[in-house]
Amino acid sequence: MNCWFHLCFVFSICPAMTHETGTSTTRTVPGNTSAKIKKCSTKDAEIFMGEVNTRLTNRKSQSSQDWKDIGELEKVLESTNVTSTTSISSGHLVALLHQAKSPTRLTIYANNSEVYFETVPNTKVLVHLPKDLGAGPNNTIVFCMITWPETNGTVLGAQGLLYENILVGLSVSGKNVSGLQERVNITMNVTTPINETHEPRCVFLNFSTQNYGSEGCQTLWERNQTYITCSCDHLTYFGVLMVNSSPSPSDQKILSYITLIGCSLSLFGLSITVLLFITHKKFRADVSMKVHISLVFALILLNVHFLPSEMVAALSSNSLCVYMALALHYSLLATFSWMALEGFHLYLLLVRVFNIYIRRYLLKLSVVGWGVPAVIVSLVVIIDRTAYGYTPVDSRNPNGTAICYVTNTTMMMVTTMGMIGLVFIFNVIMLGVTVRRFISLRQGQETNCSRVKQDIFSLLGIATLLGITWGVGFFSITTAGQYVFCILNSLQGFFIFLWFVMSLRKMQKSAAEVSNATQSTTEPKN
Ligand SMILES: *[C@@H]1O[C@H](CO)[C@@H](O)[C@H](O)[C@H]1NC(C)=O
Ligand SMILES: *[C@@H]1O[C@H](CO)[C@@H](O)[C@H](O)[C@H]1NC(C)=O
Ligand SMILES: *[C@@H]1O[C@H](CO)[C@@H](O)[C@H](O)[C@H]1NC(C)=O
Ligand SMILES: *[C@@H]1O[C@H](CO)[C@@H](O)[C@H](O)[C@H]1NC(C)=O
Ligand SMILES: *[C@@H]1O[C@H](CO)[C@@H](O)[C@H](O)[C@H]1NC(C)=O
Ligand SMILES: *[C@@H]1O[C@H](CO)[C@@H](O)[C@H](O)[C@H]1NC(C)=O
Ligand SMILES: *[C@@H]1O[C@H](CO)[C@@H](O)[C@H](O)[C@H]1NC(C)=O
Ligand SMILES: *[C@@H]1O[C@H](CO)[C@@H](O)[C@H](O)[C@H]1NC(C)=O
Ligand SMILES: *[C@@H]1O[C@H](CO)[C@@H](O)[C@H](O)[C@H]1NC(C)=O
Ligand SMILES: *[C@@H]1O[C@H](CO)[C@@H](O)[C@H](O)[C@H]1NC(C)=O
Ligand SMILES: *[C@@H]1O[C@H](CO)[C@@H](O)[C@H](O)[C@H]1NC(C)=O
Ligand SMILES: *[C@@H]1O[C@H](CO)[C@@H](O)[C@H](O)[C@H]1NC(C)=O
């Protein structure tokens, strides 16, 4: 039966053609396959729909045949002869075919059994079609809604449950509609409650890969909202998948507490570190320590501006928010640049130990460390004056939690993600060089437990200073990854404080131990 169905189509005979007289004409299949099919009558289309409905209902398991059936259904509907507007329904399928004399905006309402240009009882789906679909008098606009029969599994191999098992197909005969200026909006009423741990995501059927895609589709929904809107820039079959919200609201709450506690601890530790630096001459005499303390200052700035950011965003003071955004961005960039300079300094220390002499070394480092972020921030302001201000944390939820930061997404990505990426790659290489150096230093020496422990401790300290933890962000797609990222990064300042304290103890114990390269006292002199 399946095979017959398929062959029929390929051999360009409309499935129910035998019922009709020979008034049909031939035309090219939409999509310009070389096959020709005959123009179907409404009756043909209805029979075809009934056939697809039976097949979907009776299908025992998922198969790629489902994809083919839907694709063919669309072609049949597109090539159905309509004079103006026709509504067809059969079982779980309803369709509306419309031939527009001139381009207009259309609003389509559908319930499980009917579809019209005006409201129907128990509206399930509401579609707003834009004017510029490019549909002329020769093109049929096709709307089709499939309410998938109850299945034991997921619909068409979806990664989640398809909301109310509804697929909404939209197409224009003879055209591939994509890249729409004004988007098409498909709205579904929320009738089944949405689980707290889940959220809807608008998807469409990608027939070429037989998979779901979401590019070009926005999901407009907030928790407790009574409808879900999918706003897409092309036409195909659309559906709403229920996916696990990640991180879930309760995880988000825990993460924000972790951040608050971690950053407060860091701020406290970093302040003590500055005090230690001021009160200990040995620290002040050491160039490496001066580099570290610059990073400490950058981190203090970062934490000071990050901690109250959410609170400031909640106040409705625009100028304060712009200042906070600017300062937060600057201190984040300064943190990155000082982490990179830590890497650079380490490289000089380890690889070119004795043969460097750089005039005004610290001054030059400082110009880079504090100057580069200033240049970037200035450029952002020059390019877009409104780049700083109130920024929702989740762009899909504009009324949700917000902070003061870079509002322009492109600039935020380029300056923040771009910089983090570069610094991370650079510092991973530096860490690799360090590890190699450690290994070669230790070669020939007998392994001694306390020495190994000391080395591991030193390497961990270096990794913290180099900000390797920030790289975890690139892998924090999973909730667990987000926890790791959050804990490690909010505590970075505190770890640096611990490292300072340990260094101090070690310094006091053995003032003249040169062998430990990380603590080297053979600095480049300025
Ligand atoms: C479409 O149907 C109308 C009448 O329903 C008929 O006159 C016309 O010839 C048909 N057109 C095609 C292309 O089949
Ligand atoms: C529409 O897209 C399909 C593949 O996605 C392509 O094969 C076909 O040629 C396109 N048709 C038109 C009219 O652009
Ligand atoms: C459509 O198919 C015909 C042959 O069937 C071919 O000559 C023509 O170039 C195709 N048009 C497009 C836009 O691919
Ligand atoms: C859909 O609307 C039609 C009339 O517009 C109505 O007769 C029918 O009962 C409605 N179907 C459902 C499931 O509510
Ligand atoms: C769906 O939404 C429309 C418009 O928002 C409303 O008129 C209709 O009553 C709703 N239907 C249900 C079943 O909630
Ligand atoms: C769809 O929604 C978007 C934004 O919500 C709006 O700009 C657009 O005009 C809407 N499209 C139609 C056809 O109403
Ligand atoms: C519609 O089709 C007819 C006959 O196939 C053709 O003469 C006419 O130019 C077409 N109109 C448009 C707008 O493509
Ligand atoms: C779902 O699974 C149950 C038990 O595995 C089976 O009895 C039932 O027929 C299945 N339903 C469908 C629609 O496949
Ligand atoms: C939400 O989903 C989880 C797991 O999927 C389930 O344990 C829980 O009972 C569901 N809650 C509601 C309100 O449906
Ligand atoms: C379908 O998926 C392929 C491969 O991922 C992609 O190239 C293509 O653009 C997708 N089609 C649509 C309509 O997005
Ligand atoms: C949604 O509604 C529930 C109960 O009505 C409430 O507890 C919850 O805070 C609401 N969530 C949002 C985001 O408004
Ligand atoms: C956000 O809140 C404003 C005012 O409180 C409201 O007008 C607007 O509709 C809300 N936006 C969304 C997407 O809910």
Side-chain angles (χ1 to χ4, degrees):
M1 180 67 174
N2 275 357
C3 192
W4 170 79
F5 210 73
H6 192 62
L7 282 179
C8 245
F9 202 79
V10 170
F11 287 110
S12 65
I13 309 155
C14 213
M17 204 45 75
T18 45
H19 296 272
E20 290 295 304
T21 50
T23 53
S24 315
T25 55
T26 58
R27 57 187 284 280
T28 309
V29 173
N32 206 21
T33 57
S34 51
K36 304 261 184 190
I37 62 160
K38 301 189 170 174
K39 194 107 179 161
C40 306
S41 69
T42 312
K43 183 104 181 101
D44 296 332
E46 198 176 328
I47 291 170
F48 194 101
M49 278 170 75
E51 186 64 38
V52 171
N53 178 52
T54 323
R55 284 142 59 76
L56 293 183
T57 312
N58 293 344
R59 183 105 65 227
K60 289 287 176 291
S61 64
Q62 299 286 324
S63 74
S64 64
Q65 190 63 41
D66 289 339
W67 286 88
K68 291 203 186 102
D69 287 348
I70 294 175
E72 285 169 8
L73 172 67
E74 184 164 309
K75 284 181 188 158
V76 167
L77 289 175
E78 282 179 5
S79 51
T80 298
N81 176 17
V82 287
T83 39
S84 61
T85 305
T86 312
S87 169
I88 317 171
S89 67
S90 180
H92 297 289
L93 313 181
V94 292
L96 184 75
L97 310 175
H98 177 72
Q99 207 143 40
K101 296 281 171 292
S102 60
T104 48
R105 302 166 63 89
L106 289 175
T107 308
I108 302 171
Y109 299 84
N111 69 13
N112 284 341
S113 54
E114 304 263 357
V115 46
Y116 284 119
F117 287 126
E118 57 212 38
T119 49
V120 291
N122 296 326
T123 307
K124 279 269 184 239
V125 170
L126 175 65
V127 174
H128 287 287
L129 283 171
K131 198 171 167 186
D132 61 343
L133 285 178
N138 286 357
N139 306 108
T140 314
I141 296 172
V142 176
F143 168 96
C144 177
M145 184 170 109
I146 303 176
T147 309
W148 213 268
E150 282 300 321
T151 52
N152 276 345
T154 55
V155 174
L156 295 171
Q159 297 291 309
L161 284 180
L162 190 64
Y163 190 70
E164 304 217 316
N165 281 355
I166 289 177
L167 279 178
V168 176
L170 290 165
S171 63
V172 175
S173 67
K175 290 205 180 301
N176 285 344
V177 182
S178 61
L180 288 172
Q181 284 293 315
E182 190 181 6
R183 289 164 166 265
V184 49
N185 298 327
I186 301 124
T187 302
M188 284 191 199
N189 282 358
V190 175
T191 40
T192 348
I194 294 170
N195 195 326
E196 253 244 312
T197 59
H198 287 72
E199 64 185 24
R201 179 180 303 149
C202 294
V203 290
F204 62 85
L205 300 186
N206 185 334
F207 286 97
S208 55
T209 56
Q210 297 209 340
N211 211 332
Y212 289 85
S214 60
E215 307 85 42
C217 274
Q218 292 172 343
T219 310
L220 305 174
W221 176 80
E222 278 180 48
R223 214 159 268 289
N224 289 358
Q225 191 170 290
T226 57
Y227 56 91
I228 306 165
T229 299
C230 297
S231 195
C232 296
D233 68 357
H234 59 282
L235 299 186
T236 55
Y237 272 83
F238 302 99
V240 175
L241 281 187
M242 284 300 142
V243 295
N244 283 327
S245 41
S246 165
S248 71
S250 56
D251 280 331
Q252 271 171 22
K253 209 171 248 170
I254 299 172
L255 283 171
S256 74
Y257 281 127
I258 291 178
T259 309
L260 184 68
I261 294 168
C263 287
S264 308
L265 266 178
S266 284
L267 195 54
F268 171 76
L270 292 167
S271 313
I272 306 283
T273 308
V274 172
L275 281 182
L276 287 179
F277 182 80
I278 293 172
T279 51
H280 285 78
K281 213 167 174 185
K282 278 218 186 78
F283 275 158
R284 274 177 292 148
D286 187 323
V287 177
S288 293
M289 286 300 167
K290 285 183 187 161
V291 176
H292 302 334
I293 208 73
S294 303
L295 175 61
V296 166
F297 273 123
L299 277 169
I300 289 180
L301 276 182
L302 179 61
N303 282 298
V304 160
H305 288 108
F306 180 68
L307 273 173
S309 187
E310 208 176 297
M311 227 169 61
V312 171
L315 302 174
S316 44
S317 161
N318 199 33
S319 50
L320 187 60
C321 192
V322 169
Y323 160 76
M324 282 299 279
L326 221 137
L328 184 59
H329 193 213
Y330 176 78
S331 44
L332 189 66
L333 292 175
T335 305
F336 294 155
S337 60
W338 276 106
M339 290 188 314
L341 289 173
E342 288 275 4
F344 174 72
H345 179 73
L346 191 69
Y347 173 76
L348 288 189
L349 276 188
L350 285 175
V351 179
R352 323 198 31 197
V353 188
F354 299 113
N355 55 1
I356 47 160
Y357 173 79
I358 301 177
R359 260 168 62 82
R360 299 177 189 279
Y361 178 65
L362 255 180
L363 182 70
K364 282 177 184 162
L365 286 192
S366 300
V367 167
V368 175
W370 301 113
V372 168
V375 170
I376 295 177
V377 169
S378 312
L379 278 179
V380 170
V381 172
I382 289 168
I383 295 172
D384 181 1
R385 284 183 163 281
T386 59
Y388 290 105
Y390 184 86
T391 315
V393 174
D394 181 357
S395 57
R396 289 164 306 177
N397 186 356
N399 281 359
T401 314
I403 59 168
C404 295
Y405 196 52
V406 187
T407 52
N408 184 321
T409 323
T410 319
M411 292 205 189
M412 198 272 280
M413 288 310 268
V414 171
T415 58
T416 313
M417 289 305 184
M419 183 112 170
I420 226 181
L422 287 179
V423 171
F424 180 67
I425 291 168
F426 178 72
N427 279 356
V428 163
I429 294 171
M430 292 305 126
L431 188 68
V433 170
T434 313
V435 171
R436 255 187 62 182
R437 183 83 189 161
F438 262 67
I439 291 171
S440 71
L441 269 179
R442 294 291 175 254
Q443 245 159 25
Q445 296 179 4
E446 50 187 292
T447 17
N448 153 333
C449 204
S450 78
R451 164 133 297 163
V452 169
K453 246 199 264 173
Q454 202 180 342
D455 283 355
I456 288 175
F457 173 71
S458 299
L459 284 175
L460 280 182
I462 291 170
T464 310
L465 288 173
L466 295 182
I468 301 300
T469 52
W470 285 85
V472 180
F474 291 108
F475 310 106
S476 62
I477 311 156
T478 60
T479 310
Q482 280 170 355
Y483 272 98
V484 173
F485 179 77
C486 190
I487 293 171
L488 288 182
N489 279 311
S490 62
L491 284 174
Q492 187 189 17
F494 190 72
F495 292 149
I496 290 179
F497 159 70
L498 291 183
W499 192 76
F500 257 83
V501 172
M502 301 285 205
S503 303
L504 183 65
R505 273 180 42 195
K506 222 186 308 176
M507 260 185 184
Q508 283 166 343
K509 250 181 16 198
S510 60
E513 193 179 352
V514 188
S515 70
N516 191 340
T518 57
Q519 293 257 174
S520 175
T521 47
T522 55
E523 317 291 11
K525 298 286 181 297
N526 56 338

